[in-house]
Amino acid sequence: MAGLKSLAKDTVIYGLSSIVGRFLNYLLVPLYTAVIPASSGGYGVVSNVYAYTALILVLLTFGMETGFFRFANKTDQNPKSVYANALVFVGGLSLAFVVLGLLFLHPVSALLEYPDHPDYIAMMILVVALDSFQCIPFAFLRYKKKAIKFASIKLLNISGNIILNLFFLLLCPWLNIHAHEWVSWFYNPDYLVGYIFVSNLIMSALQMLFFIPELRGLTYRIDKQLMKQMIAYSSPIMILGLVGILNQTVDKMIYPFLFEDRKEGLVQLGIYSAASKIAMIMAMFTQAFRYAYEPFVFGKSNEKDNRKMYALAMKYFFIFSLLAFLIVMFYMDIIRYMVASDYWEGLKVVSLVMCAEILKGIYFNLSFWYKLTDETQWGAYFSLIGCGVILCLNIWLVPIYGYVASAWASITGYGCITFLSYIIGQKKYPIVYPLKEMAVYMCIAVVLYWISEEIIIRQLICRLTFRTVLLCFFVAFIVWKDLRLKNIPFLCRRR
C-alpha cells in the first residue's frame, strides 16, 4: 500500500500544476469570448484548428510516451538508451512533418478550407512539431520523478502564453488607438485570431530551452532491435491514441462541413467549445491523475498487491470525479461568467460534457490491462468503435439538433468502450473493482444533483447556500465512508 502514498503525492504535484495551469490557461476563455463575438465564428476557427493540432500531436508522438515507460522499466534495458531512441524517432518524425507540411502548405490550407490564411496552418505545423518532440523529455521527467520541474515548465509556458495573449488582444488594440506609432510597425488590428496562434508558437519555441539538460549527455545512436520492439509496442497505442483523440475532437473538425453555411457551423462550434471549457475541472483532475498513474502502474506491475492498488485507485478516482461534477454544477451561477454572455446558451451541455469526461477517466483506468499484458491492439479496437459511434452520431444528429447532439454522442461513444474494456479486461487481466461502493456514490451524487435542479430557489445567495449544504453532505459521506485516517494507510503515519 506504500505505492499509493507515492501515487497520491505525485498526483498532488501534477494536479497542482494541472489545476493551476489550466485555470490560468482557461482565463483566456473569457478573454477570447469577450474580444471575439460569438456571431463572428472566430472562436470556432480557433477550436477547429486546435482540433487538428491535437490529432497530429498524437500521430507524431507515436505512442512513444507509453512505450518509453514500458521499456525503461524493464530490467534488461538501459533507460537512457530507451530515452535516446524515443527522442530520435519522435524528433525525426516531427522534422519530416514540418518539411512536408510547409512544402505543401497552400494545398493543405485549401483542403482545410483556410485558403486565405495559410499562415494559421503554418503556425499549427510548427507548434505541433515542437510539442510532439517535447513530449518525450516531459515523459523522462515523469520517469525520473522530477515532478517539480515538470510542473514548473508547464506553468511557465502557460503563464507566458497568457501574457502574450493579453499583450496582443488587449494592450496592442489600446496602444493602436492611443499610441499608434508604438505598434503600427508590427500590429494588425484585423489579425485578431492569428495572434492566438502567434502566442502559442512563441512559447512552444521558448520551452525548448528548458529541456537542454535532458537533451545533453546522451548517445543518439539507434538500437535497431530496441527500436523495432518499441515501434511494435507503441504503434497500436498510437492508433488507439489517434482514434481516442478523434473521439474528443472529431466533432470540432467536421462542424464546418456539417452545415450548409460554413460560418454557421463555426458559430455553433464556438459556442459549444466555449461552454465545454467550463468542464475543465474534470479534465484537469483526469489529466493530473494520468500523469501520476501511468509511471505508477508500470513501476508496480511486478508487485504482488498491484491489482488491489489498481482497484483502489479506480475507486478514489471515481469518487473525486463525482465531487468535481457536483462542484461545477452546483456553482454554475458563478462559473458561467467564465465565458461572455452571448455564449451562455451553450451551458446546457456542461453536465453532459462532464459525464463524458468521467467515462473517459474510467476508461483510462481500465485501459491498463491491455498495456500490462502487451495486448495493446485491444485499445485500438475499442478506440475505433468509440470513434465510429461518435462520428456517426455527430454526422446524423448535429445538423438536426446542433451541438447538444455532440455531447450525447461523446457520452454514448465513451460509454460503449468503457463497457467493452471492462468486460474483456475481466477475462484477460481480472481486477476486483469495488463496483457496489462506486454505485452507492454515484446514486448519492445523482440524487443530490436532481434535488439541486428540482428545488427552485430564486434568490442567488440562498440557492448557492442550499447547494453548498448538499455538497457538504456528499463530502461528509466521503469522509465518513472512505477518508477516515485509519482506513487510508497511505495517509496515515506509521506508529
Side-chain angles (χ1 to χ4, degrees):
M1 302 300 284
L4 281 176
K5 182 177 181 179
S6 175
L7 175 62
K9 177 184 174 183
D10 287 347
T11 300
V12 168
I13 297 175
Y14 291 126
L16 181 62
S17 67
S18 181
I19 291 172
V20 174
R22 287 210 178 195
F23 176 75
L24 292 174
N25 201 24
Y26 278 104
L27 289 178
L28 292 172
V29 176
L31 172 63
Y32 293 159
T33 57
V35 302
I36 305 174
S39 58
S40 70
Y43 192 59
V45 171
V46 175
S47 301
N48 183 243
V49 171
Y50 278 128
Y52 287 108
T53 302
L55 181 69
I56 298 169
L57 181 67
V58 175
L59 180 64
L60 295 183
T61 53
F62 207 82
M64 281 290 171
E65 284 181 283
T66 304
F68 164 72
F69 284 120
R70 180 58 172 167
F71 285 87
N73 281 288
K74 287 191 172 184
T75 56
D76 60 339
Q77 296 292 349
N78 181 353
K80 284 195 172 182
S81 177
V82 175
Y83 174 52
N85 275 263
L87 280 174
V88 170
F89 182 84
V90 175
L93 203 58
S94 299
L95 181 61
F97 172 74
V98 169
V99 173
L100 291 174
L102 296 181
L103 191 62
F104 296 100
L105 179 60
H106 290 283
V108 171
S109 301
L111 179 64
L112 299 179
E113 296 196 3
Y114 291 103
D116 298 331
H117 284 287
D119 47 311
Y120 291 176
I121 307 305
M123 287 187 282
M124 178 192 76
I125 289 170
L126 294 172
V127 167
V128 75
L130 287 167
D131 289 353
S132 299
F133 180 75
Q134 291 165 12
C135 281
I136 305 304
F138 270 127
F140 187 69
L141 291 177
R142 291 160 59 196
Y143 171 77
K144 299 296 287 185
K145 303 293 185 182
K146 295 183 178 181
I148 299 296
K149 182 172 182 177
F150 178 100
S152 299
I153 295 174
K154 289 284 187 182
L155 291 176
L156 284 171
N157 179 276
I158 292 169
S159 300
N161 189 44
I162 291 172
I163 292 171
L164 287 173
N165 272 274
L166 292 172
F167 173 74
F168 285 120
L169 301 183
L170 288 185
L171 182 59
C172 283
W174 186 88
L175 290 173
N176 189 53
I177 296 173
H178 297 90
H180 180 70
E181 66 279 1
W182 288 14
V183 296
S184 59
W185 60 279
F186 72 89
Y187 177 70
N188 178 3
D190 297 325
Y191 196 63
L192 200 62
V193 171
Y195 288 123
I196 296 174
F197 302 125
V198 170
S199 301
N200 197 342
L201 177 58
I202 291 172
M203 290 312 303
S204 291
L206 290 177
Q207 187 171 259
M208 281 295 298
L209 299 176
F210 294 102
F211 292 118
I212 292 175
E214 281 69 41
L215 299 176
R216 286 178 175 174
L218 296 173
T219 302
Y220 290 98
R221 184 172 55 204
I222 297 177
D223 182 330
K224 293 183 179 180
Q225 184 64 29
L226 174 61
M227 184 67 80
K228 287 180 181 178
Q229 293 176 358
M230 292 181 70
I231 291 174
Y233 179 85
S234 300
S235 54
I237 295 176
M238 182 272 294
I239 294 173
L240 70 91
L242 198 63
V243 183
I245 204 68
L246 271 174
N247 293 344
Q248 303 173 44
T249 62
V250 67
D251 50 359
K252 299 175 180 63
M253 287 188 284
I254 66 175
Y255 253 67
F257 304 99
L258 295 179
F259 296 83
E260 293 184 7
D261 182 357
R262 174 180 169 80
K263 184 178 179 181
E264 173 61 22
L266 290 172
V267 170
Q268 291 263 329
L269 175 57
I271 295 173
Y272 175 55
S273 298
S276 297
K277 293 292 186 182
I278 295 179
M280 67 174 183
I281 293 178
M282 194 65 66
M284 287 189 297
F285 178 71
T286 302
Q287 184 69 17
F289 189 84
R290 176 183 177 274
Y291 281 148
Y293 194 51
E294 194 164 49
F296 165 78
V297 166
F298 286 121
K300 298 294 180 183
S301 59
N302 294 320
E303 295 187 5
K304 292 182 179 180
D305 64 342
N306 60 348
R307 301 192 191 204
K308 185 176 181 180
M309 285 190 289
Y310 300 158
L312 284 174
M314 166 72 87
K315 174 183 174 181
Y316 288 115
F317 170 83
F318 186 68
I319 290 172
F320 287 104
S321 293
L322 293 174
L323 179 61
F325 174 85
L326 292 177
I327 289 172
V328 172
M329 299 314 302
F330 284 175
Y331 299 104
M332 185 59 65
D333 291 306
I334 298 173
I335 296 174
R336 66 178 179 175
Y337 288 100
M338 184 178 172
V339 299
S341 57
D342 54 341
Y343 289 83
W344 284 0
E345 68 173 84
L347 296 181
K348 56 192 173 186
V349 302
V350 173
S351 60
L352 301 177
V353 173
M354 293 197 73
C355 287
E357 286 290 338
I358 293 175
L359 287 170
K360 189 193 307 181
I362 294 172
Y363 173 70
F364 174 79
N365 277 269
L366 294 173
S367 69
F368 275 94
W369 70 261
Y370 56 74
K371 293 178 182 178
L372 290 171
T373 59
D374 292 345
E375 296 186 60
T376 49
Q377 71 275 8
W378 283 103
Y381 300 153
F382 298 146
S383 294
L384 284 170
I385 293 171
C387 182
V389 171
I390 292 174
L391 180 61
C392 290
L393 290 178
N394 270 280
I395 294 174
W396 176 29
L397 298 175
V398 166
I400 303 172
Y401 300 104
Y403 51 79
V404 176
S406 291
W408 278 110
S410 295
I411 290 177
T412 306
Y414 282 114
C416 288
I417 62 177
T418 298
F419 177 76
L420 290 174
S421 182
Y422 174 78
I423 294 299
I424 298 175
Q426 290 303 300
K427 296 179 180 179
K428 297 280 188 176
Y429 193 87
I431 296 175
V432 182
Y433 293 108
L435 298 182
K436 291 183 179 179
E437 296 177 48
M438 293 167 64
V440 169
Y441 277 104
M442 184 178 70
C443 290
I444 293 174
V446 169
V447 170
L448 292 176
Y449 175 59
W450 178 81
I451 291 173
S452 72
E453 292 294 310
E454 288 299 313
I455 297 180
I456 307 299
I457 302 176
R458 302 292 180 186
Q459 215 281 330
L460 178 61
I461 299 299
C462 293
R463 182 164 65 250
L464 292 177
T465 301
F466 174 69
R467 292 179 175 181
T468 300
V469 172
L470 295 179
L471 185 66
C472 289
F473 174 82
F474 188 73
V475 172
F477 182 79
I478 296 174
V479 172
W480 173 77
K481 186 72 170 63
D482 282 293
L483 289 188
R484 287 177 292 180
L485 291 180
K486 65 179 183 180
N487 291 338
I488 309 177
F490 57 94
L491 291 181
C492 288
R493 293 182 179 180
R494 292 185 178 180
R495 299 182 182 275

